[in-house]
Short mmCIF file of all heavy atoms in Angstrom, two decimals:
data_model
loop_
_atom_site.label_atom_id
_atom_site.label_comp_id
_atom_site.label_asym_id
_atom_site.label_seq_id
_atom_site.Cartn_x
_atom_site.Cartn_y
_atom_site.Cartn_z
N GLU U 19 20.75 19.48 -11.46
CA GLU U 19 20.95 20.89 -11.16
C GLU U 19 22.43 21.18 -10.94
O GLU U 19 23.22 20.27 -10.69
CB GLU U 19 20.17 21.30 -9.89
CG GLU U 19 18.67 21.15 -10.00
CD GLU U 19 17.94 21.44 -8.71
OE1 GLU U 19 18.59 21.42 -7.63
OE2 GLU U 19 16.72 21.68 -8.76
N PHE U 20 22.76 22.47 -10.99
CA PHE U 20 24.10 22.91 -10.64
C PHE U 20 23.96 24.08 -9.68
O PHE U 20 23.17 24.99 -9.90
CB PHE U 20 24.89 23.32 -11.88
CG PHE U 20 26.37 23.14 -11.74
CD1 PHE U 20 27.03 22.09 -12.36
CD2 PHE U 20 27.12 24.01 -10.95
CE1 PHE U 20 28.40 21.92 -12.22
CE2 PHE U 20 28.48 23.84 -10.79
CZ PHE U 20 29.13 22.79 -11.43
N HIS U 21 24.74 24.03 -8.58
CA HIS U 21 24.66 25.04 -7.53
C HIS U 21 26.03 25.70 -7.34
O HIS U 21 27.05 25.03 -7.40
CB HIS U 21 24.21 24.42 -6.22
CG HIS U 21 22.81 23.88 -6.25
ND1 HIS U 21 21.78 24.46 -5.55
CD2 HIS U 21 22.27 22.82 -6.92
CE1 HIS U 21 20.67 23.79 -5.78
NE2 HIS U 21 20.94 22.79 -6.60
N ARG U 22 26.00 27.00 -7.09
CA ARG U 22 27.23 27.75 -6.82
C ARG U 22 27.03 28.61 -5.57
O ARG U 22 26.06 29.37 -5.50
CB ARG U 22 27.61 28.62 -8.01
CG ARG U 22 28.80 29.55 -7.74
CD ARG U 22 29.29 30.21 -9.02
NE ARG U 22 29.93 29.23 -9.89
CZ ARG U 22 30.31 29.48 -11.15
NH1 ARG U 22 30.09 30.68 -11.69
NH2 ARG U 22 30.89 28.54 -11.87
N LEU U 23 27.94 28.47 -4.62
CA LEU U 23 27.89 29.27 -3.39
C LEU U 23 29.12 30.18 -3.33
O LEU U 23 30.24 29.75 -3.62
CB LEU U 23 27.89 28.36 -2.16
CG LEU U 23 26.53 27.83 -1.66
CD1 LEU U 23 25.91 26.89 -2.69
CD2 LEU U 23 26.69 27.09 -0.34
N ARG U 24 28.88 31.43 -2.95
CA ARG U 24 30.00 32.33 -2.70
C ARG U 24 30.78 31.85 -1.47
O ARG U 24 30.24 31.15 -0.60
CB ARG U 24 29.49 33.73 -2.39
CG ARG U 24 28.77 34.46 -3.48
CD ARG U 24 28.45 35.85 -2.98
NE ARG U 24 27.54 36.57 -3.85
CZ ARG U 24 27.90 37.31 -4.89
NH1 ARG U 24 29.19 37.40 -5.19
NH2 ARG U 24 27.00 37.96 -5.61
N GLU U 25 32.03 32.23 -1.39
CA GLU U 25 32.81 31.96 -0.19
C GLU U 25 32.08 32.50 1.04
O GLU U 25 31.63 33.65 1.06
CB GLU U 25 34.19 32.61 -0.31
CG GLU U 25 35.09 32.38 0.89
CD GLU U 25 36.46 33.01 0.71
OE1 GLU U 25 36.77 33.48 -0.41
OE2 GLU U 25 37.22 33.04 1.71
N GLY U 26 31.92 31.67 2.07
CA GLY U 26 31.26 32.07 3.29
C GLY U 26 29.75 31.90 3.30
O GLY U 26 29.12 32.06 4.35
N ALA U 27 29.15 31.57 2.15
CA ALA U 27 27.69 31.43 2.10
C ALA U 27 27.27 30.14 2.81
O ALA U 27 27.99 29.14 2.83
CB ALA U 27 27.21 31.41 0.66
N LEU U 28 26.07 30.18 3.37
CA LEU U 28 25.50 29.03 4.06
C LEU U 28 24.06 28.87 3.61
O LEU U 28 23.27 29.82 3.69
CB LEU U 28 25.55 29.23 5.58
CG LEU U 28 24.99 28.09 6.45
CD1 LEU U 28 25.89 26.86 6.36
CD2 LEU U 28 24.85 28.55 7.90
N THR U 29 23.69 27.68 3.14
CA THR U 29 22.32 27.47 2.68
C THR U 29 21.38 27.31 3.87
O THR U 29 21.79 26.93 4.98
CB THR U 29 22.21 26.21 1.81
OG1 THR U 29 22.41 25.04 2.62
CG2 THR U 29 23.22 26.22 0.68
N ALA U 30 20.11 27.55 3.64
CA ALA U 30 19.09 27.19 4.62
C ALA U 30 19.05 25.66 4.72
O ALA U 30 19.45 24.95 3.79
CB ALA U 30 17.73 27.72 4.18
N THR U 31 18.58 25.16 5.84
CA THR U 31 18.43 23.72 6.02
C THR U 31 17.14 23.28 5.35
O THR U 31 16.07 23.83 5.61
CB THR U 31 18.40 23.35 7.51
OG1 THR U 31 19.62 23.78 8.11
CG2 THR U 31 18.23 21.86 7.71
N ARG U 32 17.26 22.29 4.47
CA ARG U 32 16.12 21.89 3.63
C ARG U 32 15.92 20.39 3.69
O ARG U 32 16.89 19.63 3.70
CB ARG U 32 16.39 22.33 2.19
CG ARG U 32 15.28 22.00 1.21
CD ARG U 32 15.65 22.43 -0.21
NE ARG U 32 14.60 22.12 -1.17
CZ ARG U 32 13.57 22.91 -1.45
NH1 ARG U 32 13.48 24.08 -0.85
NH2 ARG U 32 12.65 22.55 -2.33
N ARG U 33 14.67 19.96 3.71
CA ARG U 33 14.31 18.55 3.58
C ARG U 33 13.43 18.39 2.35
O ARG U 33 12.64 19.30 2.02
CB ARG U 33 13.48 18.07 4.78
CG ARG U 33 14.13 18.14 6.15
CD ARG U 33 13.09 17.76 7.19
NE ARG U 33 13.59 17.91 8.55
CZ ARG U 33 13.98 16.90 9.32
NH1 ARG U 33 13.93 15.66 8.83
NH2 ARG U 33 14.41 17.11 10.54
N GLU U 34 13.50 17.23 1.70
CA GLU U 34 12.54 16.94 0.65
C GLU U 34 12.34 15.44 0.51
O GLU U 34 13.23 14.64 0.83
CB GLU U 34 12.95 17.55 -0.68
CG GLU U 34 14.18 16.97 -1.34
CD GLU U 34 14.39 17.57 -2.74
OE1 GLU U 34 14.17 18.78 -2.91
OE2 GLU U 34 14.77 16.81 -3.63
N VAL U 35 11.14 15.06 0.07
CA VAL U 35 10.86 13.66 -0.23
C VAL U 35 11.66 13.27 -1.47
O VAL U 35 11.69 14.00 -2.46
CB VAL U 35 9.35 13.45 -0.47
CG1 VAL U 35 9.09 12.08 -1.07
CG2 VAL U 35 8.60 13.60 0.84
N GLY U 36 12.30 12.12 -1.41
CA GLY U 36 13.16 11.67 -2.49
C GLY U 36 14.62 11.88 -2.13
O GLY U 36 14.95 12.66 -1.23
N SER U 37 15.48 11.18 -2.82
CA SER U 37 16.90 11.20 -2.50
C SER U 37 17.70 11.93 -3.56
O SER U 37 17.23 12.14 -4.68
CB SER U 37 17.42 9.76 -2.37
OG SER U 37 17.10 9.01 -3.54
N SER U 38 18.93 12.31 -3.20
CA SER U 38 19.79 13.01 -4.15
C SER U 38 21.23 12.63 -3.94
O SER U 38 21.64 12.20 -2.86
CB SER U 38 19.61 14.54 -4.01
OG SER U 38 19.92 14.97 -2.71
N VAL U 39 22.01 12.79 -5.01
CA VAL U 39 23.45 12.58 -5.00
C VAL U 39 24.10 13.88 -5.45
O VAL U 39 23.67 14.46 -6.45
CB VAL U 39 23.87 11.42 -5.92
CG1 VAL U 39 25.39 11.24 -5.89
CG2 VAL U 39 23.18 10.12 -5.53
N TRP U 40 25.11 14.33 -4.73
CA TRP U 40 25.81 15.57 -5.03
C TRP U 40 27.28 15.26 -5.32
O TRP U 40 27.85 14.37 -4.69
CB TRP U 40 25.75 16.53 -3.86
CG TRP U 40 24.38 17.01 -3.47
CD1 TRP U 40 23.37 16.27 -2.94
CD2 TRP U 40 23.90 18.36 -3.53
NE1 TRP U 40 22.28 17.06 -2.68
CE2 TRP U 40 22.58 18.36 -3.03
CE3 TRP U 40 24.48 19.57 -3.96
CZ2 TRP U 40 21.82 19.52 -2.95
CZ3 TRP U 40 23.71 20.72 -3.88
CH2 TRP U 40 22.40 20.70 -3.39
N GLN U 41 27.87 16.00 -6.25
CA GLN U 41 29.31 15.92 -6.47
C GLN U 41 29.90 17.32 -6.47
O GLN U 41 29.38 18.23 -7.13
CB GLN U 41 29.66 15.21 -7.77
CG GLN U 41 31.17 15.03 -7.94
CD GLN U 41 31.56 14.09 -9.06
OE1 GLN U 41 30.91 14.04 -10.10
NE2 GLN U 41 32.64 13.34 -8.85
N VAL U 42 30.99 17.48 -5.72
CA VAL U 42 31.68 18.77 -5.68
C VAL U 42 32.46 18.93 -6.99
O VAL U 42 33.33 18.11 -7.31
CB VAL U 42 32.64 18.85 -4.48
CG1 VAL U 42 33.39 20.18 -4.49
CG2 VAL U 42 31.88 18.66 -3.17
N PHE U 43 32.15 19.99 -7.72
CA PHE U 43 32.86 20.25 -8.96
C PHE U 43 34.13 21.04 -8.70
O PHE U 43 35.17 20.80 -9.31
CB PHE U 43 31.95 21.01 -9.92
CG PHE U 43 32.57 21.31 -11.25
CD1 PHE U 43 32.89 20.29 -12.13
CD2 PHE U 43 32.83 22.61 -11.63
CE1 PHE U 43 33.46 20.55 -13.37
CE2 PHE U 43 33.40 22.90 -12.87
CZ PHE U 43 33.72 21.86 -13.74
N ASP U 44 34.05 21.98 -7.77
CA ASP U 44 35.23 22.78 -7.42
C ASP U 44 35.00 23.44 -6.07
O ASP U 44 33.86 23.68 -5.66
CB ASP U 44 35.49 23.86 -8.48
CG ASP U 44 36.97 23.96 -8.83
OD1 ASP U 44 37.80 23.43 -8.06
OD2 ASP U 44 37.29 24.57 -9.86
N GLY U 45 36.11 23.73 -5.38
CA GLY U 45 36.05 24.43 -4.11
C GLY U 45 36.02 23.49 -2.92
O GLY U 45 36.14 22.27 -3.04
N ARG U 46 35.84 24.10 -1.73
CA ARG U 46 35.78 23.35 -0.48
C ARG U 46 34.61 23.86 0.35
O ARG U 46 34.27 25.05 0.31
CB ARG U 46 37.07 23.52 0.35
CG ARG U 46 38.31 22.98 -0.29
CD ARG U 46 39.48 22.97 0.70
NE ARG U 46 39.58 24.20 1.47
CZ ARG U 46 40.19 25.30 1.03
NH1 ARG U 46 40.74 25.31 -0.18
NH2 ARG U 46 40.25 26.38 1.81
N GLY U 47 34.02 22.95 1.12
CA GLY U 47 32.90 23.36 1.95
C GLY U 47 32.60 22.36 3.04
O GLY U 47 33.30 21.35 3.20
N GLN U 48 31.56 22.67 3.80
CA GLN U 48 31.07 21.81 4.87
C GLN U 48 29.65 21.38 4.52
O GLN U 48 28.82 22.21 4.14
CB GLN U 48 31.07 22.56 6.20
CG GLN U 48 32.43 22.98 6.68
CD GLN U 48 33.20 21.83 7.31
OE1 GLN U 48 32.61 20.90 7.84
NE2 GLN U 48 34.52 21.90 7.25
N VAL U 49 29.38 20.09 4.66
CA VAL U 49 28.06 19.55 4.36
C VAL U 49 27.53 18.87 5.62
O VAL U 49 28.23 18.07 6.24
CB VAL U 49 28.14 18.53 3.21
CG1 VAL U 49 26.79 17.86 2.99
CG2 VAL U 49 28.61 19.20 1.93
N THR U 50 26.28 19.17 5.97
CA THR U 50 25.62 18.51 7.09
C THR U 50 24.36 17.83 6.57
O THR U 50 23.49 18.49 5.98
CB THR U 50 25.25 19.51 8.20
OG1 THR U 50 26.42 20.21 8.63
CG2 THR U 50 24.63 18.79 9.38
N VAL U 51 24.28 16.51 6.75
CA VAL U 51 23.11 15.73 6.37
C VAL U 51 22.64 14.98 7.61
O VAL U 51 23.34 14.09 8.10
CB VAL U 51 23.42 14.73 5.24
CG1 VAL U 51 22.13 14.00 4.82
CG2 VAL U 51 24.04 15.43 4.03
N GLY U 52 21.48 15.36 8.13
CA GLY U 52 21.02 14.76 9.37
C GLY U 52 22.02 15.07 10.48
O GLY U 52 22.38 16.22 10.73
N ASP U 53 22.52 14.01 11.13
CA ASP U 53 23.51 14.22 12.20
C ASP U 53 24.93 13.97 11.73
O ASP U 53 25.85 13.88 12.52
CB ASP U 53 23.19 13.32 13.40
CG ASP U 53 23.19 11.84 13.03
OD1 ASP U 53 23.43 11.50 11.84
OD2 ASP U 53 22.93 11.01 13.92
N ARG U 54 25.14 13.88 10.40
CA ARG U 54 26.47 13.68 9.84
C ARG U 54 27.00 14.99 9.27
O ARG U 54 26.24 15.77 8.68
CB ARG U 54 26.44 12.62 8.73
CG ARG U 54 25.90 11.26 9.16
CD ARG U 54 26.80 10.57 10.16
NE ARG U 54 28.17 10.46 9.69
CZ ARG U 54 28.61 9.49 8.86
NH1 ARG U 54 27.76 8.57 8.40
NH2 ARG U 54 29.86 9.44 8.50
N ARG U 55 28.30 15.21 9.44
CA ARG U 55 28.92 16.45 8.93
C ARG U 55 30.29 16.11 8.35
O ARG U 55 31.07 15.38 8.96
CB ARG U 55 29.06 17.47 10.07
CG ARG U 55 29.66 18.81 9.65
CD ARG U 55 29.72 19.75 10.84
NE ARG U 55 30.42 20.98 10.55
CZ ARG U 55 29.86 22.07 10.03
NH1 ARG U 55 28.56 22.06 9.76
NH2 ARG U 55 30.56 23.17 9.79
N TRP U 56 30.56 16.66 7.15
CA TRP U 56 31.85 16.40 6.50
C TRP U 56 32.40 17.68 5.87
O TRP U 56 31.64 18.56 5.46
CB TRP U 56 31.72 15.39 5.38
CG TRP U 56 30.94 14.16 5.67
CD1 TRP U 56 31.33 13.08 6.42
CD2 TRP U 56 29.62 13.85 5.22
NE1 TRP U 56 30.35 12.13 6.45
CE2 TRP U 56 29.29 12.57 5.73
CE3 TRP U 56 28.69 14.51 4.42
CZ2 TRP U 56 28.07 11.96 5.48
CZ3 TRP U 56 27.47 13.90 4.18
CH2 TRP U 56 27.17 12.66 4.70
N SER U 57 33.71 17.72 5.75
CA SER U 57 34.36 18.65 4.84
C SER U 57 34.46 17.97 3.49
O SER U 57 34.79 16.78 3.41
CB SER U 57 35.76 19.01 5.35
OG SER U 57 35.67 19.74 6.56
N VAL U 58 34.17 18.69 2.41
CA VAL U 58 34.21 18.12 1.07
C VAL U 58 35.02 19.02 0.16
O VAL U 58 35.14 20.22 0.37
CB VAL U 58 32.79 17.92 0.50
CG1 VAL U 58 32.03 16.84 1.27
CG2 VAL U 58 31.99 19.23 0.50
N GLU U 59 35.58 18.40 -0.88
CA GLU U 59 36.35 19.14 -1.86
C GLU U 59 36.15 18.50 -3.22
O GLU U 59 35.38 17.55 -3.37
CB GLU U 59 37.83 19.14 -1.46
CG GLU U 59 38.45 17.78 -1.33
CD GLU U 59 39.88 17.85 -0.80
OE1 GLU U 59 40.29 18.91 -0.30
OE2 GLU U 59 40.58 16.82 -0.90
N ARG U 60 36.87 19.01 -4.20
CA ARG U 60 36.65 18.65 -5.60
C ARG U 60 36.56 17.14 -5.81
O ARG U 60 37.42 16.38 -5.39
CB ARG U 60 37.80 19.22 -6.43
CG ARG U 60 37.73 18.89 -7.91
CD ARG U 60 38.75 19.72 -8.65
NE ARG U 60 38.96 19.26 -10.01
CZ ARG U 60 39.67 19.92 -10.91
NH1 ARG U 60 40.22 21.08 -10.58
NH2 ARG U 60 39.83 19.45 -12.13
N GLY U 61 35.48 16.73 -6.47
CA GLY U 61 35.26 15.34 -6.84
C GLY U 61 34.48 14.53 -5.82
O GLY U 61 33.89 13.50 -6.17
N ASP U 62 34.48 14.95 -4.55
CA ASP U 62 33.79 14.17 -3.52
C ASP U 62 32.30 14.07 -3.82
O ASP U 62 31.67 15.02 -4.31
CB ASP U 62 33.98 14.81 -2.14
CG ASP U 62 35.41 14.69 -1.63
OD1 ASP U 62 36.19 13.92 -2.22
OD2 ASP U 62 35.74 15.37 -0.65
N LEU U 63 31.73 12.91 -3.49
CA LEU U 63 30.30 12.66 -3.69
C LEU U 63 29.64 12.38 -2.35
O LEU U 63 30.22 11.72 -1.49
CB LEU U 63 30.10 11.45 -4.61
CG LEU U 63 30.54 11.64 -6.06
CD1 LEU U 63 31.49 10.52 -6.46
CD2 LEU U 63 29.34 11.65 -6.98
N PHE U 64 28.43 12.88 -2.19
CA PHE U 64 27.69 12.56 -0.97
C PHE U 64 26.22 12.36 -1.30
O PHE U 64 25.71 12.85 -2.30
CB PHE U 64 27.88 13.62 0.12
CG PHE U 64 27.42 15.01 -0.23
CD1 PHE U 64 26.13 15.43 0.08
CD2 PHE U 64 28.29 15.91 -0.85
CE1 PHE U 64 25.71 16.71 -0.22
CE2 PHE U 64 27.87 17.20 -1.15
CZ PHE U 64 26.58 17.61 -0.83
N VAL U 65 25.55 11.59 -0.42
CA VAL U 65 24.16 11.19 -0.62
C VAL U 65 23.29 11.83 0.45
O VAL U 65 23.66 11.88 1.62
CB VAL U 65 24.03 9.65 -0.56
CG1 VAL U 65 22.60 9.22 -0.33
CG2 VAL U 65 24.54 9.04 -1.85
N VAL U 66 22.11 12.31 0.03
CA VAL U 66 21.11 12.84 0.94
C VAL U 66 19.87 11.95 0.84
O VAL U 66 19.15 12.00 -0.15
CB VAL U 66 20.75 14.30 0.60
CG1 VAL U 66 19.74 14.84 1.61
CG2 VAL U 66 21.99 15.17 0.55
#
């Protein structure tokens, strides 16, 4: 999938069975997975 968020947008908190890998294509944001939180930017990868 490919996701695009407007500046200032915040997603709902979601859980699902199965794992995923995300890569930032462009922009900057904050990611919270469980009790971990990071700032991410272009190219960064994170696992859920």
Side-chain angles (χ1 to χ4, degrees):
E19 297 175 342
F20 208 105
H21 294 250
R22 174 170 290 172
L23 274 66
R24 295 184 191 272
E25 180 179 351
L28 180 69
T29 69
T31 300
R32 181 182 180 88
R33 299 174 185 257
E34 68 173 39
V35 167
S37 54
S38 58
V39 179
W40 297 67
Q41 185 168 36
V42 178
F43 181 66
D44 223 344
R46 297 190 315 277
Q48 297 281 333
V49 174
T50 303
V51 183
D53 59 0
R54 303 293 306 278
R55 181 178 173 87
W56 313 285
S57 294
V58 292
E59 59 186 14
R60 178 169 167 171
D62 290 347
L63 292 127
F64 61 93
V65 162
V66 183

